[in-house]
Amino acid sequence: MSKIYVDAVEPEGATTVLTLGSATDTIKIPGGGAGASKVLTSDATGGATLAAPASANNTPMFSAYLSSNQNLADATYEKVQFDTISVTDGGTYDNTTDFDWTPGVAGVYVLKCNLGLYHAGGHQTDMEDANIQYYLNGSAFVPELNFPNTYGYTQNTMPGWVHLQADAVVTLSATDSIHVMALINHTWTAYQNYVKGDRASYFASYKLIGS
């Protein structure tokens, strides 16, 4: 094996294309933190190094679900207590006390929430509305997802329930905290409202690549 020691390599003549090797050759770059699955990156001065593609991951991220039914007062927003974490990578989700998601890294995040909202009794058409609301640092910050009563058929004796899904794309600081509030409002206040558990209701978030 021969070595050529030079300070710079430029294309010959008028061409601006510099070709190293052929289609069947392997070009190796020694040093620079070489390792499996690393990518070639450059700094502001054109210096190149091999590094893990951290920016290509949708992290921080998490997903948590409600393991059992949670009772709700009628016509009152209450925090949903997603108590079981199914997956997490970075950031902090409190599944025991505050039920808040704190990303730990500033960026643009996707928020996802699905709730099964149910009232156990009365008529199916008695549910006047059902809502999901995201809260940022203790205050509502994106438009709520509202489910008004649009039933057009005759009342029956089946209980009323609905699944709502609310997705949002938001910019968060590292220390922001997010939680989910839910509301059910129906005319038969003697019956119990609740958020359906058993994985039917979940809350998740992940950071967009490059944000």
Side-chain angles (χ1 to χ4, degrees), residues 5 7 23 36 41 78-79 82 100 112 143 160 179:
Y5 296 92
D7 294 323
T41 62
E78 293 190 23
K79 183 183 289 189
F82 301 97
D100 288 335
K112 301 181 71 68
H179 65 262

Side-chain angles (χ1 to χ4, degrees), residues 5 29 58 67 75 94 108 110 118 129 145 165 180 187 189 206:
Y5 296 92
I29 302 175
N58 289 115
S67 63
D94 181 355
V108 179
V110 174
Y118 184 88
D129 55 85
L145 178 64
Q165 181 167 326
V180 174
T187 57
T189 58
Y206 59 87

Side-chain angles (χ1 to χ4, degrees), residues 117 127-132 145-149 162 164 183-185:
L117 300 175
M127 184 182 289
E128 295 182 352
D129 55 85
N131 302 335
I132 298 176
L145 178 64
N146 181 53
F147 182 84
N149 185 352
V162 64
L164 295 182
L183 174 144
I184 300 177
N185 182 21

Side-chain angles (χ1 to χ4, degrees), residues 81-124:
Q81 301 175 5
F82 301 97
D83 58 346
T84 304
I85 298 173
S86 55
V87 62
T88 183
D89 186 349
T92 302
Y93 177 70
D94 181 355
N95 67 323
T96 59
T97 305
D98 294 326
F99 306 98
D100 288 335
W101 159 244
T102 302
V105 177
V108 179
Y109 286 81
V110 174
L111 303 178
K112 301 181 71 68
C113 179
N114 185 88
L115 296 183
L117 300 175
Y118 184 88
H119 73 90
H123 301 287
Q124 193 169 28

Side-chain angles (χ1 to χ4, degrees), residues 1 6 27 38 42 58 76 102-103 113 115 119 146 157 171 204:
M1 180 178 67
V6 296
I27 308 298
K38 291 189 175 181
S42 64
N58 289 115
T76 303
T102 302
C113 179
L115 296 183
H119 73 90
N146 181 53
T157 57
T171 299

Side-chain angles (χ1 to χ4, degrees), residues 22 24 51 60 67 77 81 99 131 135 149 151 160 162 170 173 179 198 201:
S22 66
T24 59
S67 63
Y77 274 106
Q81 301 175 5
F99 306 98
N131 302 335
Y135 270 57
N149 185 352
Y151 296 113
V162 64
V170 297
S173 73
H179 65 262
D198 300 325
S201 300

Side-chain angles (χ1 to χ4, degrees), residues 136-160:
L136 169 66
N137 301 326
S139 300
F141 80 113
V142 295
E144 66 183 1
L145 178 64
N146 181 53
F147 182 84
N149 185 352
T150 57
Y151 296 113
Y153 48 83
T154 305
Q155 287 186 346
N156 56 57
T157 57
M158 293 294 292

